[in-house]
Amino acid sequence: KKYVYYFGDGKAEGTAQMKDLLGGKGAGLAEMTNLGIPVPSGFTITTEACREYFKQGKRFPNGMWEEVLTHLKRVEKSMGCKFGDPKNPLLVSVRSGAKFSMPGMMDTVLNLGLNDDTLKGLIDKTNNERFAYDTYRRFITMFGSIVTDIDRKKFEDLLDKVKEKKGVKLDTELDAKDFKAIVKKYKELYKKETGKEFPSDPYEQLKMAIKAVFDSWYGDRAVTYRKLHGIPDDLGTACNIVAMVYGNMGENSGTGVGFTRNPSTGEKRFFAEFLPNAQGEDVVAGIRTPLKIEELKKRMPKIYAQLEKICEKLEKHYRDMLDIEFTIQEGKLYMLQTRVGKRTAAAAIKIAVDMVNEKLIDKKTALLRIEPEQLNQLLHPTIDSTANVKVIAKGLPASPGAAVGRVVFSAQDAEEWAEKGERVILVRNETSPEDIGGMAAAQGILTARGGMTSHAAVVGRGMGKCCVVGCGAININEEEKYFTVSDIKVKEGDYITLNGTTGEVILGEAPLVMPKLPQEFYTIMKWSEEISRLQVRANADTPKDARVARDFGATGIGLCRTEHMFFDAERIKAFREMIVSDTVEQRRKALDKIKPYQKEDFIGIFKEMKGLPVTIRLLDPPLHEFLPKTEEEIEGLSNDMGVSVRRIKAKIKSLEEFNPMLGHRGCRLGITYPEVYEMQVRAIMEAACELAKKKIKVIPEIMIPLVAHVNELKIMKDLTVRTAEEVMKAYNVKIKYSVGTMIELARAAITADQIAQEAEFFSFGTNDLTQSVYGLSRDDAGKFLPFYIDHKIIDEDPFISIDTEGVGQIMEIAVKRGRKTNKNLKLGICGEHGGDPASIEFCHKIGLNYVSCSPYRVPIAKLAAAHAKL
Ligand code: ADP
Ligand code: MG
Ligand code: MG
């Protein structure tokens, strides 16, 4: 059995492909060595050895230690010095390195192999006492804190005391004598803390450090991290032993970290920082401020040029942007690590497109390098990450981006303040449909209750508006207009900032930056379109939404909700009149007032969509959602209509339902009040005809909601066709329109073969479909779904990602049965899931024609659609 893999002198036993066995770091070191890049010699103990170690009750597997000793000899030979040799000592670093880099794994111990004897050798060899003692005290600190778990602060405190006494701030200002004194104190500390002398035998040190690396695999933090990221527990970690090179040998030495390209902008330029006369993680530790890499170019132009060459070589080889760690020892460069670098969305896009242009990767690879969800970062204003902010609470990050504004506690205030030009944040316990106006007027929305699919969250996402929900830490006093978080009181008019990407609530005005979409973004969108089969449409209720959708490249509107058009102060009056009417005549009179509004909206939307299809859903929600609630509203309505307050109240009472979501809504309204749907069809077709007369192309698709039985659709279709024909005749034009239905009830899905004979298209309303198939009330699920997810009873909120095993199967049935009786049936999805990458992949798989999502998610959906095909 081979447990140890060597690298050095331009040749390695491992390769980049052996991440499973050698871990990321080991594989990278091997690969760099094979590429002829200067790496200090060393070897990697495999993850298999680690697994064996645990199997045998924390004992090194047979033969492993012997192999370590053999390979240590090879390193000695390669470096021309000997481990534990008091004349010419070899020192090594011991570094953990699992397949996935993960916090919680053991930190690196540098300079291992030092003791009082080898220290002398190091002094003689380098003729640099200060360097040697600096190295020694670093080693004791790392070994003591990392391998034997002494609180690192205790070492630092001792160091600080010496600095204080001397009146200096930086380690670099200390001399050999100071470090000598520190080493003595450190050894005392070690003895006091562990009850043992500091181990002087280098081999003993090495054994202990390797064990510590293996043990860290089951450290609490590592275990938690793996659980959160779904990394299996049985992979084990590798352990790398690398000959030391010294960045702390003076001003012509140093250490640095960097990226082959700029990781935040993607700019193709070596991006790094370095610190002269420093070792290991001094750069990241933040004690001294590192220098920009341009400074290295000035000081050591040759090294800089060599680094640039290495970056180029690495990129050519890995065909990706990499991060690197390097050390310079007395004017000689060594590479100590490389791996694929993390990057922002903006950088990911630029790098992907640039690399295609540089012929490093093909378009498909480029698309796969960008996570659809990542694009969100680009599509909303964000908080300037360099700003110092005060976070006072944290809720659920319901809709990303950032918003700054003054706090208001009612939708009405939001609208009024916004009209006066104020930026406001609407803060409520929860929101409801009548808050829409205020929500639209606000910069952002904060609620104390509700989950990721609460009204506020869904509407917020739909509007592309920053929204934080379910922030239980805030206590709202609506009466007196303030909210509190522990002992902080935020009054109406005070500024707060919301971070919809993290859920943070920040006191005061945090500075925002609006990312401008780079050219490369549009290139990625173009490539996505070329590759994907699924079309991407948008859910848009207003001409403004429609414009955003088109700008982001939507190929149509998949859902235009007509009821959202009524939440304007004037319109809702007419609509209420309609609802409380007792007779058909009264109702028609009220409907006649509404029709012009609807028509105007449709004209606006059709115009924006420039000939792309627009699916319009006829009235869907239960009527009582629109009813007046306050005495004032009721009185107003009574005056307007000349109907007594008592009669109106009686009417309101009569409209109450026990279970409105399964009640009198959708096509059930259309069937019992045909004049309502008739008016809507008229408005749609008149708008279409008027535009057609002006030679503007329109494709209306009229959608009947909440159909359960084919007969419902039959009746509604007859009414729609009859009305449409009438309108076209009156205008004397012919336009192509279609009639279809939503599939949002289990019965409709199961009887899709019958329904498809009456429908030209199906659109899966997966919000309601999930609700009805799962028997899960969207408005109440927040009380227990989070518990289910925390306790792994289910993996994911079915309102966020399609429950493919349950709801998804029903969709598949509907697709199959529908297409069987109507092979031209067009299929789409318009629920919230239409913007969720995992759900989009599923939609692709079951053969839908399009997905429809909120306008701001169109780019995400487009990329996800391409990924689904790849
Ligand atoms: P991490 O996983 O935290 O990046 P590393 O094992 O890469 O830990 O070690 C951290 C730093 O220690 C490296 O960036 C490098 O500067 C330094 N280092 C590690 N091994 C050596 C070595 N053999 N010689 C010099 N410096 C080293
Ligand atoms: Mg580290
Ligand atoms: Mg590192």
Side-chain angles (χ1 to χ4, degrees):
K1 186 102 259 167
K2 183 174 172 61
Y3 289 118
V4 177
Y5 285 73
Y6 180 76
F7 54 86
D9 314 310
K11 237 184 112 40
E13 295 172 348
T15 66
Q17 276 71 51
M18 294 164 72
K19 270 190 175 177
D20 285 337
L21 196 61
L22 304 180
K25 204 175 281 169
L29 288 166
E31 193 74 8
M32 283 199 290
T33 305
N34 281 331
L35 284 172
I37 289 169
V39 174
S41 309
F43 53 87
T44 304
I45 308 173
T46 62
T47 54
E48 197 182 6
C50 174
R51 290 192 294 269
E52 280 297 316
Y53 168 80
F54 284 111
K55 249 189 228 152
Q56 300 179 14
K58 295 203 183 187
R59 279 212 310 272
F60 289 154
N62 255 347
M64 185 202 102
W65 181 246
E66 288 68 27
E67 251 188 277
V68 166
L69 296 179
T70 313
H71 286 89
L72 201 54
K73 285 263 168 313
R74 279 178 89 173
V75 178
E76 288 174 346
K77 207 164 146 211
S78 158
M79 300 301 289
C81 45
K82 279 199 162 124
F83 195 59
D85 182 352
K87 290 215 184 65
N88 184 15
L90 165 72
L91 305 187
V92 296
S93 63
V94 179
R95 320 165 68 185
S96 64
K99 179 175 183 187
F100 306 101
S101 110
M102 84 185 133
M105 291 304 296
M106 197 191 86
D107 282 330
T108 297
V109 176
L110 301 178
N111 312 321
L112 187 135
L114 268 179
N115 57 28
D116 292 353
D117 297 332
T118 51
L119 177 78
K120 286 206 192 79
L122 195 62
I123 295 173
D124 291 345
K125 185 175 158 183
T126 59
N127 205 5
N128 188 337
E129 201 178 7
R130 184 193 176 278
F131 153 75
Y133 276 105
D134 176 39
T135 305
Y136 202 12
R137 63 95 193 177
R138 287 172 186 271
F139 170 51
I140 301 174
T141 306
M142 284 185 260
F143 191 91
S145 60
I146 296 167
V147 178
T148 60
D149 254 343
I150 302 169
D151 186 356
R152 191 178 180 117
K153 207 172 160 300
K154 294 189 173 153
F155 290 103
E156 276 159 11
D157 286 347
L158 286 175
L159 184 66
D160 285 343
K161 261 194 215 135
V162 173
K163 282 197 233 168
E164 216 171 275
K165 215 165 121 200
K166 197 172 178 179
V168 299
K169 277 223 176 86
L170 297 177
D171 298 359
T172 39
E173 293 170 293
L174 296 174
D175 60 23
K177 236 176 69 207
D178 300 322
F179 283 131
K180 199 170 172 176
I182 288 164
V183 164
K184 190 158 165 266
K185 288 201 175 112
Y186 277 7
K187 283 198 194 154
E188 285 161 14
L189 175 68
Y190 185 93
K191 184 156 186 205
K192 197 173 126 226
E193 293 284 326
T194 63
K196 288 186 196 126
E197 294 292 336
F198 189 82
S200 61
D201 177 2
Y203 292 95
E204 179 64 23
Q205 294 171 357
L206 184 60
K207 241 183 219 163
M208 284 173 78
I210 295 171
K211 267 174 167 290
V213 167
F214 286 169
D215 288 342
S216 72
W217 177 256
Y218 282 113
D220 290 346
R221 268 181 61 203
V223 171
T224 310
Y225 183 86
R226 286 199 293 273
K227 209 182 264 166
L228 281 173
H229 292 81
I231 299 172
D233 256 339
D234 55 5
L235 299 177
T237 179
C239 177
N240 302 284
I241 317 291
V242 187
M244 278 306 298
V245 287
Y246 308 101
N248 56 333
M249 284 185 79
E251 286 302 308
N252 61 349
S253 302
T255 179
V257 300
F259 295 85
T260 54
R261 306 188 185 209
N262 186 315
S264 80
T265 64
E267 189 196 359
K268 190 184 179 202
R269 183 141 137 221
F270 179 42
F271 181 91
E273 289 179 327
F274 99 115
L275 259 184
N277 196 12
Q279 216 186 21
E281 297 194 321
D282 290 2
V283 181
V284 224
I287 311 164
R288 282 160 64 196
T289 314
L291 304 174
K292 290 227 174 68
I293 202 68
E294 285 70 34
E295 191 59 32
L296 180 71
K297 194 174 181 177
K298 269 189 224 146
R299 295 184 189 198
M300 304 184 210
K302 273 201 185 127
I303 296 278
Y304 181 87
Q306 193 188 353
L307 265 173
E308 268 192 332
K309 271 232 172 69
I310 288 173
C311 285
E312 207 176 298
K313 194 170 195 173
L314 283 172
E315 277 205 348
K316 275 229 171 80
H317 186 70
Y318 281 92
R319 297 167 185 273
D320 205 342
M321 184 270 261
L322 301 146
D323 71 18
I324 56 164
E325 299 179 357
F326 60 91
T327 282
I328 303 159
Q329 175 181 325
E330 298 195 298
K332 191 164 165 13
L333 174 69
Y334 295 92
M335 302 304 288
L336 290 165
Q337 193 179 322
T338 191
R339 68 188 153 189
V340 170
K342 292 230 158 58
R343 60 204 82 177
T344 63
I349 287 173
K350 178 156 172 54
I351 291 169
V353 173
D354 283 354
M355 287 195 165
V356 171
N357 292 334
E358 293 161 28
K359 304 213 159 38
L360 280 176
I361 55 174
D362 60 14
K363 289 181 187 177
K364 286 180 184 176
T365 311
L367 292 179
L368 286 172
R369 290 246 175 106
I370 306 160
E371 273 305 310
E373 203 61 57
Q374 241 188 338
L375 295 179
N376 236 341
Q377 278 181 34
L378 299 178
L379 304 171
H380 301 275
T382 50
I383 293 170
D384 187 347
S385 56
T386 60
N388 211 350
V389 297
K390 177 165 182 181
V391 176
I392 55 171
K394 201 163 174 195
L396 300 171
S399 180
V404 181
R406 302 173 68 178
V407 170
V408 294
F409 293 94
S410 77
Q412 203 177 343
D413 286 343
E415 283 182 83
E416 280 169 17
W417 288 44
E419 218 139 86
K420 285 182 279 173
E422 292 284 358
R423 291 179 304 163
V424 297
I425 305 277
L426 178 60
V427 181
R428 311 221 2 109
N429 277 320
E430 53 205 334
T431 61
S432 59
E434 66 262 35
D435 292 332
I436 299 245
M439 295 168 79
Q443 303 293 313
I445 301 144
L446 169 64
T447 69
R449 294 192 214 121
M452 294 291 279
T453 58
S454 62
H455 180 265
V458 173
V459 174
R461 278 196 291 276
M463 292 177 173
K465 187 148 295 202
C466 171
C467 179
V468 174
V469 302
C471 184
I474 65 169
N475 282 301
I476 301 175
N477 187 329
E478 273 179 36
E479 299 279 274
E480 294 174 38
K481 302 194 171 182
Y482 69 85
F483 74 81
T484 56
V485 190
S486 54
D487 58 348
I488 299 166
K489 184 166 172 180
V490 179
K491 298 189 297 294
E492 181 181 60
D494 289 352
Y495 273 101
I496 60 169
T497 303
L498 302 180
N499 185 340
T501 314
T502 61
E504 286 168 339
V505 182
I506 292 159
L507 198 62
E509 291 177 82
L512 299 189
V513 282
M514 183 59 206
K516 188 179 161 314
L517 288 177
Q519 197 45 48
E520 288 84 2
F521 170 85
Y522 297 99
T523 309
I524 291 292
M525 288 297 106
K526 205 179 97 219
W527 293 348
S528 298
E529 276 163 33
E530 285 168 16
I531 281 170
S532 48
R533 185 187 57 71
L534 270 179
Q535 300 262 317
V536 176
R537 295 193 183 189
N539 298 349
D541 305 337
T542 63
K544 197 174 140 241
D545 289 351
R547 167 137 12 108
V548 175
R550 253 195 75 92
D551 285 349
F552 280 142
T555 58
I557 289 178
L559 176 64
C560 171
R561 287 164 289 207
T562 47
E563 58 273 15
H564 283 200
M565 297 173 174
F566 296 116
F567 284 108
D568 164 283
E570 265 313 300
R571 298 176 178 198
I572 194 139
K573 271 196 204 156
F575 200 74
R576 284 174 177 158
E577 267 184 57
M578 191 275 289
I579 299 171
V580 300
S581 296
D582 282 324
T583 64
V584 176
E585 286 67 39
Q586 273 180 332
R587 215 160 18 244
R588 282 197 189 278
K589 216 175 104 206
L591 285 167
D592 281 343
K593 291 191 202 165
I594 299 168
K595 200 180 78 184
Y597 292 128
Q598 289 240 290
K599 192 163 142 186
E600 186 189 314
D601 285 330
F602 293 137
I603 287 179
I605 290 172
F606 286 146
K607 270 189 181 159
E608 285 296 345
M609 292 315 286
K610 302 195 170 105
L612 295 173
V614 179
T615 306
I616 298 164
R617 178 178 74 186
L618 302 184
L619 193 67
D620 180 48
L623 288 182
H624 72 90
E625 274 191 21
F626 302 92
L627 285 172
K629 298 216 166 57
T630 63
E631 288 294 326
E632 211 184 320
E633 283 171 345
I634 294 175
E635 260 166 45
L637 190 63
S638 146
N639 285 338
D640 289 349
M641 293 183 68
V643 177
S644 75
V645 166
R646 214 177 41 119
R647 284 275 306 273
I648 290 178
K649 283 190 174 166
K651 185 78 193 179
I652 293 175
K653 187 103 186 105
S654 78
L655 282 171
E656 261 176 26
E657 290 181 297
F658 286 109
N659 200 343
M661 273 307 168
L662 300 177
H664 197 179
R665 57 172 283 216
C667 68
R668 300 162 192 176
L669 285 174
I671 286 173
T672 49
Y673 302 123
E675 54 282 1
V676 177
Y677 275 20
E678 190 192 315
M679 176 281 286
Q680 292 197 293
V681 174
R682 253 178 220 288
I684 295 166
M685 294 308 290
E686 284 180 14
C689 289
E690 276 176 28
L691 290 172
K693 288 222 138 177
K694 292 186 202 155
K695 300 264 176 286
I696 298 172
K697 193 180 161 204
V698 283
I699 310 182
E701 300 175 333
I702 298 171
M703 181 157 77
I704 314 294
L706 213 78
V707 164
H709 195 288
V710 62
N711 286 346
E712 292 174 312
L713 182 58
K714 253 188 207 150
I715 297 170
M716 289 296 96
K717 187 180 160 193
D718 283 350
L719 174 133
T720 304
V721 171
R722 187 170 5 100
T723 311
E725 296 300 328
E726 264 174 47
V727 174
M728 289 192 293
K729 206 162 159 207
Y731 278 84
N732 196 24
V733 281
K734 270 259 172 254
I735 36 183
K736 214 173 134 329
Y737 70 99
S738 55
V739 184
T741 184
M742 291 187 79
I743 302 290
E744 48 191 338
L745 295 173
R747 193 184 191 286
I750 301 282
T751 59
D753 47 348
Q754 295 173 36
I755 292 176
Q757 293 177 33
E758 300 295 328
E760 285 162 273
F761 63 86
F762 283 176
S763 177
F764 288 98
T766 45
N767 293 349
D768 267 312
L769 188 63
T770 300
Q771 190 161 249
S772 73
V773 170
Y774 224 118
L776 199 58
S777 159
R778 228 192 319 166
D779 304 303
D780 303 307
K783 293 207 176 88
F784 52 89
L785 259 192
F787 182 94
Y788 273 42
I789 291 159
D790 280 352
H791 291 76
K792 303 248 178 244
I793 296 167
I794 57 174
D795 287 340
E796 220 171 347
D797 186 335
F799 291 112
I800 292 178
S801 214
I802 289 177
D803 157 44
T804 52
E805 292 174 351
V807 179
Q809 275 208 50
I810 298 247
M811 290 171 71
E812 267 190 276
I813 290 173
V815 170
K816 279 207 193 95
R817 296 191 183 167
R819 285 230 169 96
K820 200 160 82 194
T821 57
N822 179 355
K823 59 181 195 324
N824 294 322
L825 189 66
K826 191 153 67 173
L827 294 162
I829 171 178
C830 64
E832 279 277 299
H833 302 91
D836 167 62
S839 307
I840 291 169
E841 193 180 339
F842 180 76
C843 292
H844 172 88
K845 209 184 86 196
I846 63 171
L848 299 195
N849 300 91
Y850 69 86
V851 297
S852 187
C853 56
S854 94
Y856 291 90
R857 290 194 72 85
V858 166
I860 297 165
K862 285 181 133 187
L863 181 55
H867 278 199
K869 177 87 182 292
L870 289 170

